[in-house]
Amino acid sequence: DASALEQAAQDFIQRFGAPDIVIANAGVSAGTLTEDKTDLATFKGVIDINLIGMVHTFQPFIKTMKQAGKGSLVGIASVAGIRGLPGAGAYSASKAAAIAYLESLRVELAPSGLHVTTIAPGYIRTPMTDINTYPMPFLMAPELAAKKFARAIEKKKRFIVIPWQMGWLARLMRLLPAGVWDFLMKNAPHKAHANCNDVKSVFKNYSTTKQQHQSCPHKQHNVQVGRIVAEPCEQGQQGWDGSTMNNNRRQPPQGVGRYFVQMLSEKTV
C-alpha cells in the first residue's frame, strides 16, 4: 500500500528526522505454474509485493536521507533469485528482480552518501517454511538469522548470502551451465501450488483463507507470508505470520522481523 507507507514515512520523518536504516523485509511465496491461467493473478500479486512493495518502502525516505547525506537501505531478497526454481516462477522472478533493483539503487545512491545492502537468505525456520515438505539445507533459527542480518547491515555489506554455507552454494549455482542446472532441477521438488485466488486477496483474514483452502480444487496449495498480513480472528487462533490472539490482543509473530525489532530496540536503549 504505497499511500499507507508514505504516510508512515512522513510521520516518522516529522518525529525523528531522517532514518539511519530502512529495511524492506515484506515478502510472499507461492507455488505457481505458468500454464495455469488462474495463476496469472498470483504472479502479479507476488511480484507486486516482493518487488514493487520494496520500491514503495524506500521511496518516501530517500529524499530526506539524501539531504542528510547518510543512511542505509536494506532489501531482503533470496537465494531463490540466483537461479530459477521449478514451480516457483513468480517467487524466483520477483527475487531476481529485487536483487537487480537493489544493485541499481546502490550505484545510483552512492554519490549521495547512502548505502544499499542486499541480503539473500536461505531457509529460515518460520511459519513460512514450516509447511514445506521437502528438505531445506542449512535451515536457520530466526534468532540466528536476525543476528546475521544485523551484522551484515552494521558492516555495510553490499551483497551477502546468509548463511555462509548457502553463500558457497549460491556461487556454485551461478557458475553452473544452463544444461547442468536443467539436469539437476528436473526432479527437484516443486513448491506446493498457490491458492486459486489472487494472492493479495487471500491475506485479508485467516478465516476467509481457511475456507478458500478447503474449497480450492487443487489437492495442494499454499501461500507463504513473510509479513503481518493475515491477522488471527479468534482466541488462540494462529495467523499465517505466526501471530496468535491472547486476551483479545494480537501477539507478535516468532519470525525474523520480530528479532530485528528486538535487536534494534536493544541498540537504541
Side-chain angles (χ1 to χ4, degrees), residues 28-34 36-50 87-91 93-94 191-203 216 218 221-224:
V28 295
S29 175
T32 48
L33 295 173
T34 302
D36 194 332
K37 187 176 181 180
T38 60
D39 278 359
L40 293 177
T42 304
F43 268 90
K44 291 177 182 178
V46 170
I47 292 171
D48 187 37
I49 293 170
N50 293 0
Y91 186 68
S94 70
K191 186 177 290 294
H193 193 276
N195 198 297
C196 304
N197 300 284
D198 186 336
V199 169
K200 290 191 287 187
S201 71
V202 172
F203 300 151
C216 179
H218 294 284
H221 68 260
N222 67 61
V223 178
Q224 301 172 359

Side-chain angles (χ1 to χ4, degrees), residues 102-131:
L102 289 164
E103 185 170 57
S104 297
L105 192 64
R106 186 180 74 236
V107 178
E108 179 184 319
L109 295 179
S112 303
L114 274 63
H115 185 82
V116 177
T117 294
T118 304
I119 298 177
Y123 294 107
I124 302 172
R125 192 184 67 244
T126 67
M128 277 185 68
T129 55
D130 285 345
I131 58 177

